[in-house]
C-alpha cells in the first residue's frame, strides 16, 4: 500500500498570508507512460463532505479559486494557498490514485492566526 | 444539479448487518466509477470500496479491513449505489460517503454522508 504523510499537522496563518501544506508518498505516484502524477487535494470544512480542489497534482478543479495551487512530482507534493481567506479554514487532505487501495494523507488543519 | 444522497445508516449491534444506498442524479451515473469512503468521528478519510462502470466490467475492489465483510454493488437503472455491510465491528463506526470518479480515481462528486454506529 502507498502510505501518504502530510506536514504540518496544523498551521495558523494570518489573513492574506501564504499557507503551505506538504504531502509525501511512500513510493512514486508518477506514471511514466503519461508523465502524470496521480495525486489529488481536497478541502473539508466542518460538517461537510470533502471538496476536490486539485488533481494530477497541479490541475485546479473548475470553480476553485486561483489562490489554490498544487506542485511537486514523484513522492513530494505541495498545496499552496496564496492569500489565505477566512473561508479557507478547513482540513486539507492529499490522496494518491496511482494504485489501490486508494489512500489519503492524515490531513492538515488550517486556521486563522 | 449533480447530487449524491446516501441513506441507510444508523445504530447496529456488533456482528450485525446494514445496507447503505446512494441515489445519484444530475450526471451519467452508469459511466462513473463509484466509491465508498468513510470517516470515523474526528478522524481522517479512508477509502472503503470501488465499483467500476458497466463498460469496464463492473469490477470491484475493497480495502483489506472490509474485504469479505462488505459488498459494493450498483443498479444503473435506478441510478443507485449500494454497500452491504455484514459482521460489523465497533471500528466500522464512521460517516460513510459515496463518491464518484470519471475514469480516474479522484473523488468528485461526493454525497453528504450517512452515519453508521456499531455499538451494543
Amino acid at each position: 500500500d502507498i502510505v501518504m504523510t502530510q506536514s504540518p499537522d496544523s498551521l495558523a496563518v494570518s489573513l492574506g498570508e501564504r499557507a503551505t501544506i506538504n504531502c509525501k508518498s511512500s513510493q512514486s505516484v508518477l506514471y511514466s507512460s503519461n508523465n502524470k502524477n496521480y495525486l489529488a487535494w481536497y478541502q473539508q470544512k466542518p460538517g461537510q463532505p470533502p471538496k476536490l480542489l486539485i488533481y494530477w497534482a497541479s490541475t485546479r478543479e473548475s470553480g476553485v479559486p486561483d489562490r489554490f495551487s498544487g506542485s511537486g512530482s514523484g513522492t513530494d507534493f505541495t498545496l499552496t494557498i496564496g492569500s489565505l481567506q477566512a473561508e479557507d479554514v478547513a482540513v486539507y487532505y492529499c490522496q494518491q490514485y496511482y494504485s489501490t487501495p486508494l489512500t489519503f494523507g492524515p490531513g492538515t488543519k488550517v486556521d486563522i492566526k | 444539479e449533480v447530487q449524491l444522497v446516501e441513506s441507510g445508516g444508523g445504530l447496529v449491534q456488533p456482528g450485525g448487518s446494514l445496507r447503505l444506498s446512494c441515489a445519484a442524479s444530475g450526471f451519467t451515473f452508469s459511466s462513473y466509477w463509484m466509491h465508498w469512503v468513510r470517516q470515523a468521528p474526528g478522524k481522517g478519510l479512508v477509502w472503503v470500496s470501488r465499483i467500476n462502470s458497466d463498460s469496464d466490467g463492473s469490477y470491484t475492489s475493497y480495502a483489506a479491513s472490509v474485504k469479505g465483510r462488505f459488498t459494493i454493488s450498483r443498479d444503473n437503472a435506478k441510478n443507485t449505489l449500494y454497500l452491504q455491510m455484514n459482521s460489523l465491528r465497533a471500528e466500522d463506526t464512521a460517516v460513510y460517503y459515496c463518491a464518484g470518479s470519471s475514469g480516474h480515481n479522484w473523488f468528485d462528486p461526493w454525497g453528504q454522508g450517512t452515519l453508521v454506529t456499531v455499538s451494543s
Side-chain angles (χ1 to χ4, degrees):
Chain A
D1 297 5
I2 298 177
V3 177
M4 307 300 290
T5 56
Q6 290 182 232
S7 63
D9 294 336
S10 64
L11 74 160
V13 175
S14 300
L15 288 172
E17 296 299 306
R18 173 175 297 190
T20 301
I21 300 168
N22 300 301
C23 172
K24 190 175 182 69
S25 56
S26 62
Q27 63 188 76
S28 176
V29 297
L30 174 64
Y31 195 42
S32 57
S33 66
N34 59 10
N35 201 38
K36 287 183 179 291
N37 288 284
Y38 284 52
L39 191 285
W41 288 97
Y42 301 85
Q43 174 194 66
Q44 187 178 32
K45 298 180 180 180
Q48 295 185 18
K51 173 188 173 183
L52 175 69
L53 295 177
I54 286 169
Y55 54 93
W56 297 133
S58 62
T59 301
R60 203 178 302 114
E61 170 71 338
S62 175
V64 172
D66 61 8
R67 64 179 180 273
F68 291 93
S69 63
S71 62
S73 185
T75 61
D76 294 281
F77 301 91
T78 300
L79 175 70
T80 301
I81 309 174
S83 174
L84 191 75
Q85 305 299 303
E87 61 264 32
D88 301 333
V89 169
V91 178
Y92 293 83
Y93 296 92
C94 59
Q95 177 237 333
Q96 66 81 19
Y97 49 96
Y98 184 90
S99 64
T100 54
L102 309 174
T103 49
F104 293 88
T108 294
K109 186 176 182 181
V110 174
D111 271 320
I112 305 295
K113 185 186 292 183
Chain B
E1 178 193 6
V2 172
Q3 202 168 14
L4 292 171
V5 179
E6 301 94 336
S7 60
L11 175 63
V12 60
Q13 292 189 338
S17 297
L18 214 54
R19 188 175 86 152
L20 306 183
S21 299
C22 170
S25 59
F27 65 103
T28 309
F29 176 76
S30 60
S31 64
Y32 271 61
W33 296 5
M34 296 300 297
H35 307 257
W36 291 97
V37 176
R38 69 185 181 184
Q39 186 169 36
K43 302 297 185 182
L45 301 166
V46 177
W47 173 80
V48 172
S49 182
R50 178 189 77 199
I51 185 166
N52 291 8
S53 63
D54 278 356
S55 62
D56 296 318
S58 289
Y59 193 75
T60 60
S61 56
Y62 299 91
S65 59
V66 306
K67 196 168 187 177
R69 300 188 298 123
F70 290 12
T71 302
I72 190 171
S73 62
R74 65 192 299 163
D75 184 337
N76 289 335
K78 295 182 178 179
N79 284 349
T80 302
L81 175 73
Y82 302 100
L83 186 68
Q84 177 67 43
M85 305 186 295
N86 299 330
S87 303
L88 282 161
R89 307 166 180 166
E91 55 265 35
D92 295 319
T93 294
V95 172
Y96 284 73
Y97 295 101
C98 66
S101 60
S102 58
H104 294 284
N105 288 313
W106 64 73
F107 304 110
D108 182 59
W110 292 75
Q112 287 296 315
T114 187
L115 176 62
V116 172
T117 303
V118 184
S119 175
S120 55

